[in-house]
Amino acid sequence: MNARILDGRSLGRTIRTQIRADVEELTRNAAVVPGLAVILIGEDAASRVYVTNKIKACADVGIRSTLIEYPNDVPAEALIDAIKHLNQDPAMHGILVQLPLPPHHDVRAVLHAISIEKDVDGFHLYNVGGLVVGDMIFSPCTPFGVMKILDHAGIPVEGKNVTIVGASNIVGKPMALMMMQRDATVAVCHEKTRDLAQYTILADILIVAAGVPNLILPQMVRTGAVVIDVGINRLPDGRLVGDVDFDGVCRRASCITPVPGGVGPMTVTMLLANTVSAARRFVDRTRGPILEPKRLEGAAPLT
Ligand code: NAP
């Protein structure tokens, strides 16, 4: 079997065309240009690449973005104060703090300082808790992007066995909750899981987000499974790979996302979608619902 490639780059481009039109409509009808503030702390090279990509993507669809940089040793209070200031800024509808933070910062305190109406990464406790009952304002971008890939490919989730490898707060756990909302049967694996293959082999849909190259080998994958590789790993020779042995697993899976070009571009696309949704909510809150509520399925309900 040669797996069908689920092309996140191409899907991302299609969705961004719609987002660009939404931005134009907001600008034309409400005189509001969606704005995203991105906070980068320290000199982590990978974080800088991610932030640069996000800012470029904003420019591409007409979202106004601003990059706020701090040195590694910025005091926690200064960071929280900056976030509070942005919470009040009517030109900034979304706030993103690039993770990971330097170790002396309390990540939870920083994320919780962000107004829930501007939490476009979906990491505030309100949005995380909302995932449990399916009532969040913003879905976290990476799992949201994965759901979009599956939906676009016409892959049903209801009743399927879904195994998620990786249980982080930003990918694995929210992914599990989103899958449960869609009536999948979910197993979540992590580093202490004994006999990982026992769980991966059961999966109709296998989602891998561990950050370990070649963690998933062909014999761990059920024939015909859908494989979503969230991992991004830079090898010593400079190549970018996921967590899945792509060539080997392609021969067993029915569908697979590549790295690069799979989940990564969709994560950024969902950030753009959430930012536009935040701007639309701002307009509705401050001036009443003067615009047609257009939004991507799975994004925030307009209240
Ligand atoms: P993380 O916070 O380091 O979490 C990794 C998770 O994987 C943890 O739950 C860990 O288990 C588990 N794990 C590690 N080694 C394992 C193993 N050998 N077997 C089973 N589970 C294992 O990482 P993250 O932020 O979730 O990111 C995961 C990967 O996705 C990274 O490669 C990251 O670069 C990538 N990523 C990609 C995107 C995208 O847009 N494509 C977005 C975010 C992240 P414990 O909980 O027991 O430690």
Side-chain angles (χ1 to χ4, degrees):
M1 175 178 290
N2 248 338
R4 170 183 166 202
I5 306 297
L6 303 174
D7 183 346
R9 199 170 276 148
S10 152
L11 176 58
R13 260 197 302 270
T14 306
I15 296 176
R16 287 181 204 197
T17 303
Q18 178 58 51
I19 292 173
R20 199 173 295 117
D22 288 349
V23 170
E24 281 165 13
E25 187 214 294
L26 265 166
T27 309
R28 194 175 48 247
N29 293 351
V32 165
V33 180
L36 176 69
V38 179
I39 299 178
L40 175 64
I41 299 141
E43 278 307 323
D44 182 71
S47 290
R48 185 165 290 280
V49 171
Y50 293 140
V51 160
T52 305
N53 286 344
K54 287 167 187 174
I55 285 182
K56 266 194 202 147
C58 283
D60 182 49
V61 297
I63 291 174
R64 183 195 328 217
S65 66
T66 176
L67 173 61
I68 302 160
E69 294 189 62
Y70 289 106
N72 227 358
D73 57 358
V74 59
E77 308 74 52
L79 184 54
I80 301 276
D81 281 351
I83 292 172
K84 284 183 179 160
H85 179 74
L86 288 167
N87 283 342
Q88 302 303 322
D89 183 345
M92 289 296 135
H93 308 102
I95 302 171
L96 177 154
V97 178
Q98 183 64 41
L99 300 180
L101 294 181
H104 64 282
H105 285 285
D106 177 350
V107 183
R108 234 182 256 189
V110 170
L111 295 179
H112 297 173
I114 299 172
S115 154
I116 58 170
E117 287 291 347
K118 299 195 178 192
D119 175 39
V120 287
D121 247 346
F123 294 159
H124 187 285
L125 197 56
Y126 178 91
N127 282 314
V128 174
L131 281 172
V132 175
V133 286
D135 197 15
M136 58 284 169
I137 300 176
F138 300 109
S139 301
C141 301
T142 301
F144 190 11
V146 170
M147 296 310 288
K148 282 278 153 205
I149 289 174
L150 294 172
D151 289 345
H152 178 77
I155 295 164
V157 167
E158 187 184 306
K160 300 293 179 193
N161 287 342
V162 175
T163 299
I164 299 167
V165 181
S168 71
N169 289 342
I170 64 170
V171 187
K173 284 180 195 162
M175 188 79 253
L177 290 165
M178 286 168 93
M179 283 292 171
M180 286 169 74
Q181 285 294 338
R182 298 275 293 267
D183 295 325
T185 304
V186 181
V188 183
C189 305
H190 45 78
E191 239 180 312
K192 292 173 196 70
T193 300
R194 280 181 287 133
D195 192 1
L196 184 62
Q198 183 189 335
Y199 296 92
T200 59
I201 200 77
L202 282 180
D204 301 308
I205 301 174
L206 175 61
I207 301 172
V208 192
V212 182
N214 276 323
L215 180 63
I216 303 300
L217 302 172
Q219 61 271 27
M220 299 166 75
V221 176
R222 226 184 65 146
T223 303
V226 172
V227 178
I228 305 289
D229 191 352
V230 180
I232 303 177
N233 308 289
R234 179 75 64 185
L235 296 183
D237 65 8
R239 273 183 307 138
L240 210 57
V241 297
D243 292 350
V244 175
D245 166 9
F246 183 81
D247 292 338
V249 170
C250 261
R251 289 191 282 278
R252 281 188 87 118
S254 60
C255 301
I256 189 167
T257 56
V259 178
V263 177
M266 288 302 291
T267 295
V268 180
T269 302
M270 293 306 107
L271 171 68
L272 304 176
N274 280 350
T275 303
V276 173
S277 170
R280 199 180 289 283
R281 288 175 66 91
F282 166 79
V283 171
D284 290 347
R285 246 188 352 267
T286 52
R287 309 182 199 168
I290 59 170
L291 295 167
E292 275 299 297
K294 255 204 258 158
R295 62 186 189 86
L296 288 161
E297 189 193 322
L302 290 166
T303 51

